[in-house]
């Protein structure tokens, strides 16, 4: 039977009891009797991922079933290893073992959430499930998964009453999820809590929730941690998590200090000049203009007189007139500003 046919072979799982094909309790195969024997499955993958068979033993059993070998045949010896030796804890799937108090020595003193587990009827990624649904630390979750893999009875005491096995604050801050703040009236929130940006317009994205709650919704660290723990334990949003007198938003002074750690220089708007300053600028401008006109006239007339000491007097009729290429005459500009042109010439 080719490898491809083994991979694609589908049938109902035969592991409905121990003793078939020589498989006994000494082989420590998990999930027997199999609760999925009512439906066809890809048997090779099912044996490896649900019953923890190694790849060689899984293919051996699939070929035996394809060849219609009798279940009473001792296909595996009592000393033969059929399970995986190197287990990937993160990828191990099974039903949650926390169906009642006292499992593996767990008690109320450990502050474990959601016991008995409401999802015990479904197969889950056990390592992640124990952390995010039951609030166990990664070390404690790994210990339970390895116990399940090794077929350790649930009555075995893995933990003592003084063991600290719940998640730390650091673990809470690494949680990625969608923002739950879709309404202002969930988890006991109300208008007087003054939580900004509700309803959240980023609720369709998986984000680092702690950073999002503290930065975008301005929750303080205590309130953000409390809300994330409520999500981990799947608390009903209708239950009051915060009370009316709780301060859950960082103060305005804190926000102000964060926003203005680096002060921006303000743009300096020049003040309007006084009337006297305006007149002085005007006179300076037009005195320069008149000096330029005087120089031009001296060059044109080739006057032998020393005109450097004689100011230009535009009021004398005996002086020749000149057409200047300016849009407005000098006299018109002076009179337009209410000035006496002769006052600049004397």
């Amino acid at each position: 039977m080719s490898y491809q046919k083994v991979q694609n072979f589908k049938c109902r799982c035969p592991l409905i009891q121990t003793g078939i094909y020589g498989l006994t309790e000494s082989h420590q195969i998990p999930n027997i009797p199999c609760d999925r024997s009512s439906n066809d499955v890809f048997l090779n993958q099912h044996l490896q991922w649900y019953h923890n068979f190694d790849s060689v033993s899984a293919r051996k059993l699939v070929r035996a079933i394809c060849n219609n070998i009798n279940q009473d045949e001792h296909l595996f010896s009592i000393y033969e290893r059929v399970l995986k030796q190197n287990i990937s804890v993160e990828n191990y799937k099974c039903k949650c073992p926390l169906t009642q108090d006292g499992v593996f020595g767990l008690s109320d003193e450990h502050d474990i959430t959601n016991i008995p587990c409401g999802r015990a009827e479904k197969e889950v990624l056990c390592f992640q499930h124990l952390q995010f649904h039951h609030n166990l630390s990664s070390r404690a979750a790994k210990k339970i998964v390895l116990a399940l893999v090794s077929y350790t009875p649930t009555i075995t005491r893995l933990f003592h009453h003084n063991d600290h096995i719940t998640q730390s604050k650091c673990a809470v801050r690494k949680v990625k999820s969608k923002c739950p703040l879709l309404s202002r009236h969930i988890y006991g929130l109300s208008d007087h809590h003054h939580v900004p940006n509700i309803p959240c317009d980023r609720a369709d994205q998986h984000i680092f929730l702690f950073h999002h709650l503290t930065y975008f919704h301005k929750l303080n660290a205590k309130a953000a941690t409390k809300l994330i723990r409520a999500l981990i334990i799947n608390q009903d949003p209708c239950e009051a998590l915060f009370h009316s007198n709780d301060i859950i938003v960082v103060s305005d002074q804190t926000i102000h200090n964060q926003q203005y750690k680096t002060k921006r220089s303000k743009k300096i708007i020049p003040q309007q000049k006084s009337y006297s300053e305006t007149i002085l600028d005007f006179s300076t401008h037009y005195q320069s203009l008149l000096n330029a006109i005087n120089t031009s006239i001296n060059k044109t007339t080739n006057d032998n007189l020393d005109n450097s000491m004689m100011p230009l007097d535009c009021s004398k009729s005996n002086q020749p007139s000149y057409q200047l290429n300016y849009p407005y005459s000098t006299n018109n500009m002076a009179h337009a500003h209410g000035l006496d042109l002769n006052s600049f010439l004397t």
Side-chain angles (χ1 to χ4, degrees):
M1 188 176 183
S2 67
Y3 175 82
Q4 191 64 34
K5 288 183 178 180
V6 171
Q7 289 292 103
N8 296 330
F9 181 75
K10 291 184 70 173
C11 72
R12 295 183 180 183
C13 180
L15 303 183
I16 56 177
Q17 61 183 5
T18 57
I20 60 174
Y21 297 109
L23 298 171
T24 64
E25 291 182 357
S26 62
H27 289 106
Q28 298 183 345
I29 301 173
N31 300 320
I32 291 182
C34 181
D35 58 353
R36 298 188 171 186
S37 57
S38 59
N39 298 317
D40 288 344
V41 293
F42 289 101
L43 188 58
N44 185 55
Q45 292 88 327
H46 172 77
L47 292 173
Q48 293 185 59
W49 291 107
Y50 194 61
H51 297 290
N52 204 32
F53 273 56
D54 60 37
S55 58
V56 175
S57 300
R59 288 197 297 269
K60 185 178 180 180
L61 183 55
V62 171
R63 289 191 176 100
I65 295 174
C66 288
N67 295 328
N68 295 320
I69 295 178
N70 194 294
Q71 292 184 352
D72 296 331
E73 186 77 23
H74 285 270
L75 188 64
F76 302 96
S77 68
I78 193 173
Y79 302 107
E80 186 175 354
R81 288 185 177 181
V82 299
L83 300 182
K84 296 176 183 176
Q85 299 303 307
N86 297 321
I87 303 299
S88 175
V89 173
E90 291 80 5
N91 295 327
Y92 183 74
K93 291 184 178 182
C94 67
K95 292 182 178 179
C96 180
L98 305 185
T99 56
Q100 59 185 356
D101 293 329
V103 173
F104 294 121
L106 297 174
S107 63
D108 294 336
E109 297 176 353
H110 291 114
D111 195 26
I112 306 301
T113 56
N114 295 327
I115 293 182
C117 182
R119 304 179 184 178
E121 297 300 321
K122 298 180 180 180
E123 181 186 353
V124 292
L125 288 169
C126 194
F127 181 70
Q128 289 85 345
H129 171 80
L130 292 174
Q131 292 182 79
F132 295 110
H133 191 62
H134 297 290
N135 200 35
L136 286 172
S137 65
S138 59
R139 184 177 181 180
K142 183 176 181 179
K143 195 172 184 179
I144 291 177
V145 172
L146 292 175
L148 295 173
V149 170
S150 62
Y151 211 62
T152 302
T154 56
I155 61 174
T156 304
R157 182 176 291 275
L158 298 178
F159 308 102
H160 300 283
H161 68 278
N162 58 348
D163 290 342
H164 181 72
I165 60 175
T166 55
Q167 291 193 54
S168 64
K169 292 181 179 179
C170 294
V172 170
R173 297 190 181 196
K174 294 179 181 178
V175 172
K176 289 189 73 174
S177 177
K178 294 181 179 180
C179 180
L181 300 182
L182 299 176
S183 171
R184 193 172 292 277
H185 302 286
I186 58 176
Y187 296 109
L189 293 174
S190 59
D191 293 335
H192 60 264
H193 283 117
H194 303 295
V195 180
N197 300 320
I198 296 180
C200 181
D201 58 358
R202 305 179 186 179
D204 59 339
Q205 306 172 19
H206 281 277
I207 50 181
F208 285 104
L209 199 53
F210 182 85
H211 175 76
H212 172 76
L213 292 173
T214 54
Y215 180 79
F216 191 64
H217 295 290
K218 306 303 179 186
L219 294 184
N220 56 41
K222 183 178 179 181
T225 302
K226 193 173 183 180
L227 181 56
I228 293 173
R229 289 191 181 277
L231 294 175
I232 291 174
I233 65 176
N234 201 26
Q235 181 173 330
D236 189 351
C238 296
E239 296 182 15
L241 186 64
F242 304 105
H243 302 287
S244 58
N245 57 346
D246 290 344
I247 299 176
I248 63 175
V249 177
V250 292
S251 64
D252 293 337
Q253 183 63 33
T254 304
I255 297 175
H256 179 80
N257 292 337
Q258 291 175 351
Q259 291 178 345
Y260 296 96
K261 285 183 179 178
T262 304
K263 293 185 178 180
R264 297 181 178 179
S265 59
K266 294 183 178 180
K267 184 177 180 180
I268 300 176
I269 301 175
Q271 297 180 351
Q272 293 183 351
K273 296 181 180 180
S274 63
Y275 179 77
S276 59
E277 291 175 338
T278 303
I279 295 299
L280 180 60
D281 290 344
F282 178 83
S283 63
T284 303
H285 173 73
Y286 282 103
Q287 184 62 51
S288 300
L289 178 62
L290 292 174
N291 290 337
I293 295 172
N294 189 27
T295 303
S296 177
I297 293 174
N298 290 336
K299 290 181 180 180
T300 306
T301 59
N302 296 319
D303 196 345
N304 295 324
L305 295 175
D306 185 9
N307 294 326
S308 61
M309 302 298 296
M310 183 176 65
L312 178 64
D313 188 356
C314 296
S315 62
K316 293 182 179 181
S317 59
N318 57 351
Q319 290 184 351
S321 60
Y322 295 92
Q323 185 69 30
L324 303 177
N325 294 324
Y326 288 91
Y328 303 98
S329 66
T330 306
N331 287 331
N332 289 340
M333 287 190 291
H335 288 298
H337 290 81
L339 298 176
D340 185 4
L341 184 61
N342 293 326
S343 64
F344 293 102
L345 303 178
T346 59

